[in-house]
Amino acid sequence: MNDCDINVVTEFSLSPFSTSRMNEILIFSGFSVMYLLAVVGNMIIVALVCSVPQLHTPMYFFLCNLSSVDIIYISTILPKMLSIILTEDKTISFYGCMTQLFFFVICGDSDIFILTFMAYDRYVAVCSPLHYTLIMTRKFCRTLAMSYVILSVANSVMFTKMTSTLSFCYSRLINHFFCEIIPLLLLSSSDTENMKMILTVEDVCLPVLSLLIILISYARIIYTIFKMRSSRGQMKAFSSCSSHIITVLLFYGPSIYMYMKPESKHSKEQDKILSMFYVAVVPMLNPFVSA
């Protein structure tokens, strides 16, 4: 039997940003503020939507879902990274790593689904206002919410299970500040070709399909707005969509650049910075964009 097959991994070592101790302290301070702003801001949105009857609408229902997911998203990753900077202990247990991966996949998939549902909500509101209450019923919104939860959890269970069975014989240093799938696959000594193929198909299909639906929705929305005779009506329609458009740009912009940029000797550090943008910066900005 190969010794690698029976080698039990108990912990990994994370590799945050390669910089001086002074810069690490600045990073710690900055991202501590980001974390507090993101958690407090998104919790305020959740509390307001739940407590104010006037906000019990489909648009705010999905916004509440997005804020809830963002709280979990940033809380899964940033506290550990801040702990590494503060204590200089870069180790993370195997189960802690798999837990990070599990929630990272759930939250990433959930954000994609929610942004797509929000685009459809704005499409119905602008293009079919007379049928809005008939289409976007409470039952329909809850069904959409339940569907993204089930799909995201199922997908996360699959990837976490597949990753947890990999062998890591030659190195346990993850070249990232959290346990993401791609760095773990690059680190593994197992045959990961099938898993990489599944990941590539999913990385292309789910975000591209989501972005396509969003673009088609907004193409119809813009067409409908320009057909309106009232400038006041046009402004109202644009304002109702503006926050969602900004959120979509913040979420998809770094992701698209990450997958399209050419590889270079500095690409790994650039990937960390871009990952930090959609893991920390976007959840922090969402409450301000939505306000």
Side-chain angles (χ1 to χ4, degrees):
M1 181 181 291
N2 191 337
D3 291 339
C4 190
D5 294 332
I6 60 175
N7 190 23
V8 179
V9 177
T10 58
E11 64 181 25
F12 292 101
S13 228
L14 294 171
S15 176
F17 303 105
S18 303
T19 184
S20 65
R21 186 60 182 164
M22 181 59 68
N23 286 337
E24 284 184 343
I25 293 171
L26 293 174
I27 291 171
F28 176 84
S29 303
F31 283 107
S32 294
V33 173
M34 282 188 186
Y35 179 66
L36 289 174
L37 287 174
V39 171
V40 173
N42 283 292
M43 285 182 69
I44 290 172
I45 288 178
V46 173
L48 285 174
V49 173
C50 292
S51 60
V52 179
Q54 290 84 352
L55 299 181
H56 293 176
T57 63
M59 180 177 71
Y60 285 104
F61 171 77
F62 290 121
L63 179 59
C64 182
N65 276 254
L66 184 64
S67 293
S68 301
V69 169
D70 281 346
I71 292 171
I72 300 171
Y73 205 178
I74 197 168
S75 297
T76 299
I77 296 166
L78 271 198
K80 180 59 182 178
M81 191 201 78
L82 294 174
S83 172
I84 289 173
I85 295 174
L86 190 64
T87 64
E88 297 187 296
D89 179 8
K90 299 180 180 181
T91 60
I92 182 171
S93 68
F94 177 80
Y95 293 108
C97 186
M98 292 303 108
T99 300
Q100 263 198 351
L101 176 61
F102 177 74
F103 284 106
F104 171 73
V105 175
I106 287 178
C107 293
D109 288 353
S110 296
D111 274 350
I112 292 173
F113 283 117
I114 294 170
L115 290 174
T116 307
F117 297 155
M118 290 175 78
Y120 178 71
D121 171 71
R122 293 299 83 205
Y123 162 74
V124 177
V126 174
C127 300
S128 302
L130 298 179
H131 300 99
Y132 183 75
T133 54
L134 297 175
I135 297 172
M136 301 302 296
T137 62
R138 185 171 296 182
K139 181 180 179 181
F140 180 63
C141 291
R142 287 176 178 173
T143 301
L144 290 178
M146 187 61 67
S147 67
Y148 86 72
V149 170
I150 292 171
L151 290 172
S152 299
V153 170
N155 191 46
S156 184
V157 168
M158 178 187 71
F159 276 114
T160 306
K161 178 65 176 175
M162 293 172 71
T163 307
S164 66
T165 59
L166 298 176
S167 297
F168 300 92
C169 294
Y170 309 123
S171 175
R172 293 173 188 174
L173 176 63
I174 301 172
N175 190 19
H176 216 311
F177 59 88
F178 71 100
C179 293
E180 195 177 7
I181 296 178
I182 294 176
L184 283 167
L185 292 183
L186 294 174
L187 190 66
S188 175
S189 52
S190 302
D191 182 5
T192 59
E193 289 305 313
N194 290 335
M195 194 170 173
K196 285 179 181 177
M197 189 179 301
I198 295 171
L199 185 62
T200 301
V201 171
E202 185 169 305
D203 279 349
V204 171
C205 291
L206 184 58
V208 169
L209 182 60
S210 167
L211 191 57
L212 186 61
I213 292 172
I214 292 171
L215 291 175
I216 292 172
S217 297
Y218 274 103
R220 295 292 302 274
I221 288 170
I222 292 170
Y223 176 74
T224 302
I225 288 174
F226 280 120
K227 283 177 61 180
M228 294 178 180
R229 296 180 179 180
S230 168
S231 58
R232 185 177 179 182
Q234 289 178 336
M235 289 301 297
K236 185 178 179 180
F238 271 123
S239 63
S240 70
C241 300
S242 59
S243 61
H244 179 253
I245 293 172
I246 295 172
T247 303
V248 169
L249 291 174
L250 288 172
F251 183 81
Y252 279 101
S255 302
I256 292 172
Y257 176 76
M258 181 182 292
Y259 286 103
M260 293 186 67
K261 70 178 178 62
E263 289 291 327
S264 69
K265 63 179 181 180
H266 303 297
S267 62
K268 297 302 179 185
E269 290 300 313
Q270 291 174 2
D271 287 348
K272 293 178 188 178
I273 295 171
L274 289 169
S275 295
M276 185 59 73
F277 189 87
Y278 65 75
V279 165
V281 178
V282 173
M284 180 197 70
L285 292 178
N286 277 345
F288 297 99
V289 170
S290 306

